[in-house]
Amino acid sequence: MLTLLGKITADCFTASYALALVLELLYLFRPRPVVRACALVLGGAGLLAHTLFVAVNPMPLETAYGSLIFLAWVLAMFYLYGSLHHRRVAWGLFVLPLVLGLVLLARLFHGDPGPRAETVSWELFTLLQGRHFWPALHGLLLLLAAIGISVGFVASVMYLAQVRRLRQKTLPGHGVKLLSLERLETMNRRAIILAFPMLTAGLLVGLVLLLKTDEQATGWVRILSVVGLWVVFAILLYLRYRAHARGRRVALLTIVAFALLLFSLISVHPFAQGVVR
């Protein structure tokens, strides 16, 4: 069984997501139910292959490869859920490119995840192993924050697209169908609120690890990128709740936060090179 599962590669789910995106684009010009159904089937097949790939491969969250692949996996579930829940919304056009981009970044910057494990073992369970606790916790907290930031990014891009659509006075029933501006603002706000405490805790754990590792020169690159991300989030919260800012400014700043997140995830990961005791 494991030998069969071991044959699943990143190419499998990458191709499925890409084909699903092509069909989502086709549906935009030819809105036929069968086209959307085929897109969902391909997206579901990609998610299944992605899940099996994560289950049988070493995927430590404290590494860039592991965090990017895990983040893409969670967002693939977000895509499938959103497509089923908001059937009239062009959900896949905004989420699938993000999923594909994260997978390609993981493969481009960090290559192969390493030899396959002899038994199925989710790296998330390294939290139960004492010597791996803090590096894995650091990776898990940043992953949870990254999920919130990514959802906020998707909501922000949708918001800007909807603003443009309304300014162009697109007729109802024409063009890309999106959620209302109010619902997109709510989605962005909730994502920021959920991500900020996770990001703060992950930053604090990272600082503790940095003081206990010999890789401080490279570690500061990652920590400073997370600090920059934290500052952007603090500004977002200030604009939202103190300055009562709304709309385009908050959406653009959320996109900046997502760019900083990507830099943080693909930057040097000193804690993966040795276990902090």
Side-chain angles (χ1 to χ4, degrees):
M1 182 64 177
L2 285 177
T3 303
L4 183 62
L5 293 178
K7 295 181 179 180
I8 298 175
T9 65
D11 292 331
C12 298
F13 54 85
T14 303
S16 295
Y17 294 147
L19 290 174
L21 178 58
V22 170
L23 289 176
E24 291 284 354
L25 288 170
L26 180 61
Y27 182 80
L28 183 62
F29 300 99
R30 290 182 174 272
R32 303 289 187 270
V34 65
V35 176
R36 173 57 65 84
C38 290
L40 289 174
V41 169
L42 283 169
L47 178 58
L48 176 60
H50 200 160
T51 303
L52 295 175
F53 179 81
V54 168
V56 300
N57 285 278
M59 210 70 61
L61 296 180
E62 65 269 22
T63 66
Y65 188 92
S67 57
L68 287 168
I69 291 293
F70 257 103
L71 180 57
W73 175 61
V74 174
L75 291 176
M77 290 189 285
F78 180 63
Y79 150 71
L80 198 60
Y81 167 79
S83 296
L84 293 172
H85 187 65
H86 304 288
R87 296 187 179 183
R88 297 184 178 181
V89 176
W91 200 264
L93 290 180
F94 294 89
V95 184
L96 278 176
L98 180 57
V99 173
L100 280 170
L102 290 171
V103 172
L104 292 176
L105 269 180
R107 301 179 65 183
L108 178 63
F109 285 94
H110 300 281
D112 193 89
R116 289 178 169 80
E118 296 179 358
T119 59
V120 175
S121 175
W122 285 51
E123 286 294 332
L124 192 58
F125 293 143
T126 57
L127 285 171
L128 301 177
Q129 304 174 19
R131 69 191 188 94
H132 293 295
F133 178 82
W134 291 109
L137 180 61
H138 171 71
L140 177 60
L141 289 170
L142 289 187
L143 174 66
L144 294 174
I147 293 170
I149 297 170
S150 298
V151 172
F153 170 77
V154 171
S156 297
V157 174
M158 284 186 177
Y159 183 93
L160 295 176
Q162 182 70 309
V163 168
R164 181 179 180 185
R165 183 172 179 269
L166 293 175
R167 285 179 177 176
Q168 292 178 344
K169 298 181 179 179
T170 304
L171 294 175
H174 293 74
V176 180
K177 296 180 176 62
L178 299 170
L179 297 174
S180 66
L181 294 179
E182 291 76 14
R183 294 188 67 178
L184 291 171
E185 275 194 313
T186 300
M187 184 190 302
N188 189 9
R189 182 180 68 252
R190 290 176 178 174
I192 292 172
I193 292 174
L194 292 174
F196 187 71
M198 298 297 175
L199 181 65
T200 303
L203 175 61
L204 293 176
V205 172
L207 287 172
V208 172
L209 288 171
L210 185 61
L211 295 176
K212 294 184 177 181
T213 183
D214 296 329
E215 301 289 338
Q216 293 194 22
T218 55
W220 279 112
V221 175
R222 178 167 170 79
I223 292 300
L224 288 177
S225 66
V226 177
V227 169
L229 181 58
W230 188 91
V231 170
V232 171
F233 254 68
I235 294 174
L236 273 171
L237 290 174
Y238 173 80
L239 290 176
R240 175 72 71 177
Y241 294 104
R242 297 287 294 180
H244 302 289
R246 299 179 61 187
R248 190 169 180 271
R249 185 191 304 179
V250 174
L252 290 174
L253 198 55
T254 304
I255 293 173
V256 172
F258 179 76
L260 286 173
L261 166 71
L262 289 184
F263 178 78
S264 176
L265 291 178
I266 64 177
S267 62
V268 181
H269 286 58
F271 314 133
Q273 299 173 7
V275 177
V276 178
R277 299 182 184 277

